[in-house]
Amino acid sequence: MNTERIMSQLEKKHPGELEYLQAVREVLESIEDIYNQNPQFEAANIVERLIEPDRILTFKIPWVDDNGKVNVNLGYRVQFNQAIGPYKGGLRFHPSVNLSILKFLGFEQIFKNSLTTLPMGGAKGGSDFDPKGKSNNEVMRFCQAFMLELWKVIGPETDVPAGDIGVGGREIGFLFGMYKRLTQTHVGVLTGKGTNWGGSLVRPEATGFGNVYFAKEMLKTRNLDFNGKTVAVSGFGNVAWGAIIKVNQLGGKVVTISGPDGYIYDPDGISGDKVEYLLELRASNQDIVKPYSYKFTNAQFFEGKRPWEVKCDVALPCATQNELDKQDALNLMKNGCICVSEGANMPSTPEAIEIFLEHKILFAPGKAANAGGVATSGLEMSQNSMKLTWSANEVDTKLHDIMCNIHQACVKYGKDSEGTVNYVKGANIAGFLKVANAMLDQGVL
Ligand code: NDP
């Protein structure tokens, strides 16, 4: 494989799709050696078949707001690869959504889903619709209009979307309701559903829990644990919330959360009632970061800044892509951070990752560390197929086992001769091999 040649062709075909090109380059660079040691991959041109999605659906979404104004948004579903199972990946509603971001997320999802050991292919979708500031009825009408197109290409054995940024339990409910109406079926076509109509217990907190389980396994390799550790978290969405709960349960202290406008530093730790208060703010669709500092006066708000300048042992970036750059990575290293585990997708820039690898800290890429969310979605699909419901404890135990297995797979393929584990390499190789071998088995398609 000639990575530079492939990348230059891809750049010509998809100019300006920076996130997508960044994600493909990272994977190709990690798998180059193993790819070249297995000539059957090159003979079947696996890489060039893998880096382009199977298909992309683009559609317009006209919908009427509360003032009677007709709005038009764009919707997408990128079905990337289904070698090991039905397409699976979240829907994102955010004004920044474009094809480059969804292709990067869909591409990453292939390897992440492969790592979970469950039978799921890779996909992603969403819209440039911004749920922020919209009424409940507006969100409902938008979700219904979105599903009016999406239902044609999804199904429980074909493509099973889930939530992502801007798509939580409420949106999944509205989307599911419309799918059910259109198809007259009540099937497991979406995950993240309400628990009294097919959802799995522990799914809402699974990504954050899984991220902390993964970090716990990494710390264990150096005979360390979360007890007494200071932890910096970014964001305060679905992923950050689960991570904060689990860190507290394991005896760590979370000192930051963030939003697009800045971050909170709370030296007393963010736990218990404080987390409940944040959830209330979130449910009422308000800004959540600033009001926290008015209510808890020991906490400080740092406008326009990111939490990576705070002294911490462990950093969990849980907000969005490219939210931790080279300078942030240098700050973390200067302040003695020993572990960075990505809750978000691709939150660290390539330059930041280089710094982590140079310093040989414990660094886990999102595709391994945040795979607990989709893994639990996979468990939700299993429960839907069996028409059974597992207890929270059963799901959590399975999630924990899956995260430990992903960690082991990363160690297997990422450990060098000196015993240092490169989790980026390990995750990419482990995820790639399973998909590539399935593609070989199934012929040229
Ligand atoms: P949410 O929308 O629930 O939360 C995102 C959080 O990040 C919000 O608190 C948001 O603040 C904040 N945020 C957004 N942009 C910025 C920014 N530029 N700087 C700082 N904070 C910001 O999304 P999720 O928690 O679901 O997803 C977060 C990340 O995790 C994404 O990368 C997603 O792809 C990834 N992920 C999510 C999974 C899931 O199960 N939900 C599974 C695997 C990965 P505000 O609300 O004020 O905008």
Side-chain angles (χ1 to χ4, degrees):
M1 169 170 56
N2 181 336
T3 301
E4 288 314 319
R5 182 186 54 80
I6 295 172
M7 285 311 302
S8 109
Q9 281 172 354
L10 204 65
E11 278 158 25
K12 271 195 210 124
K13 273 195 263 179
H14 307 285
E17 296 195 352
L18 299 181
E19 295 85 356
Y20 166 53
L21 296 167
Q22 178 183 334
V24 173
R25 176 177 283 282
E26 184 209 282
V27 170
L28 297 196
E29 286 178 352
S30 311
I31 62 167
E32 201 166 340
D33 288 347
I34 201 112
Y35 195 84
N36 292 334
Q37 289 157 17
N38 289 276
Q40 70 275 23
F41 293 148
E42 184 69 22
N45 208 354
I46 293 288
V47 151
E48 288 184 49
R49 287 161 56 201
L50 192 60
I51 59 180
E52 291 284 357
D54 287 350
R55 68 191 65 79
I56 300 174
L57 173 71
T58 310
F59 50 97
K60 72 170 182 224
I61 311 152
W63 59 280
V64 183
D65 66 23
D66 288 347
N67 299 319
K69 182 172 169 253
V70 178
N71 298 268
V72 182
N73 285 94
L74 280 180
Y76 308 90
R77 185 68 179 165
V78 179
Q79 296 182 327
F80 229 110
N81 184 289
Q82 58 166 183
I84 61 168
Y87 299 110
K88 177 95 196 97
L91 297 172
R92 177 177 290 193
F93 291 170
H94 193 270
S96 66
V97 162
N98 58 38
L99 216 40
S100 169
I101 288 182
L102 295 181
K103 280 164 70 179
F104 124 61
L105 290 165
F107 182 70
E108 291 275 295
Q109 198 78 43
I110 304 171
F111 306 98
K112 186 188 303 192
N113 292 0
S114 164
L115 281 170
T116 66
T117 68
L118 301 174
M120 299 181 289
K124 202 79 190 185
S127 170
D128 57 359
F129 171 76
D130 187 359
K132 237 187 208 165
K134 302 290 188 302
S135 72
N136 213 38
N137 280 335
E138 286 175 327
V139 171
M140 179 180 75
R141 283 197 293 276
F142 176 79
C143 288
Q144 291 173 339
F146 185 84
M147 188 51 86
L148 216 44
E149 283 296 324
L150 188 72
W151 76 279
K152 297 170 191 165
V153 297
I154 62 173
E157 307 296 341
T158 326
D159 183 351
V160 185
D164 189 69
I165 293 178
V167 179
R170 173 183 63 167
E171 290 75 15
I172 292 290
F174 294 146
L175 291 164
F176 185 81
M178 191 62 176
Y179 181 87
K180 194 168 62 81
R181 187 80 200 261
L182 287 163
T183 61
Q184 299 175 46
T185 57
H186 193 298
V187 289
V189 69
L190 292 160
T191 55
K193 301 187 286 299
T195 47
N196 51 3
W197 44 276
S200 175
L201 291 165
V202 188
R203 175 60 188 95
E205 49 275 70
T207 310
F209 276 23
N211 183 24
V212 176
Y213 290 150
F214 196 93
K216 179 169 76 87
E217 290 305 299
M218 289 200 292
L219 290 169
K220 219 197 263 174
T221 63
R222 300 199 181 169
N223 295 322
L224 298 168
D225 60 31
F226 267 102
N227 208 15
K229 298 283 179 303
T230 301
V231 181
V233 172
S234 62
F236 187 74
N238 194 41
V239 179
W241 163 70
I244 292 171
I245 293 174
K246 190 50 77 181
V247 168
N248 281 304
Q249 284 174 5
L250 297 180
K253 180 160 87 168
V254 176
V255 292
T256 63
I257 50 163
S258 69
D261 49 347
Y263 79 92
I264 288 285
Y265 173 60
D266 184 345
D268 300 337
I270 301 167
S271 63
D273 290 352
K274 292 176 175 175
V275 176
E276 294 305 316
Y277 173 69
L278 285 166
L279 285 178
E280 275 167 37
L281 289 174
R282 200 167 166 72
S284 61
N285 226 350
Q286 296 179 48
D287 270 354
I288 52 168
V289 171
K290 237 188 244 171
Y292 182 99
S293 64
Y294 305 147
K295 185 162 168 81
F296 302 106
T297 47
N298 267 356
Q300 275 178 284
F301 176 65
F302 292 89
E303 184 143 21
K305 297 243 175 135
R306 303 197 279 218
W308 318 124
E309 58 190 21
V310 158
K311 187 166 172 45
C312 64
D313 303 303
V314 178
L316 304 177
C318 295
T320 191
Q321 65 272 359
N322 293 329
E323 54 155 323
L324 195 165
D325 64 16
K326 183 176 178 182
Q327 189 53 51
D328 297 320
L330 288 169
N331 288 344
L332 285 169
M333 296 304 91
K334 189 180 77 195
N335 286 329
C337 176
I338 48 168
C339 174
V340 177
S341 190
E342 294 187 335
N345 284 313
M346 214 164 74
S348 314
T349 63
E351 297 77 23
I353 295 173
E354 253 174 59
I355 302 284
F356 298 144
L357 297 180
E358 264 168 34
H359 283 77
K360 297 191 186 290
I361 64 150
L362 300 164
F363 169 71
K367 67 168 72 73
N370 71 32
V374 72
T376 309
S377 279
L379 299 176
E380 183 171 325
M381 288 163 72
S382 304
Q383 293 169 78
N384 292 165
S385 302
M386 293 188 296
K387 312 253 185 281
L388 282 177
T389 306
W390 293 330
S391 69
N393 195 31
E394 272 175 289
V395 178
D396 193 30
T397 305
K398 286 183 170 52
L399 167 64
H400 184 260
D401 288 350
I402 289 171
M403 296 315 295
C404 292
N405 289 338
I406 297 175
H407 180 266
Q408 271 173 13
C410 293
V411 171
K412 179 174 172 189
Y413 291 107
K415 200 177 209 167
D416 67 17
S417 52
E418 287 163 19
T420 307
V421 182
N422 179 332
Y423 288 88
V424 178
K425 189 173 170 196
N428 284 332
I429 293 177
F432 167 77
L433 283 176
K434 186 171 164 191
V435 176
N437 285 320
M439 288 172 73
L440 280 183
D441 291 345
Q442 294 166 16
V444 178
L445 296 164

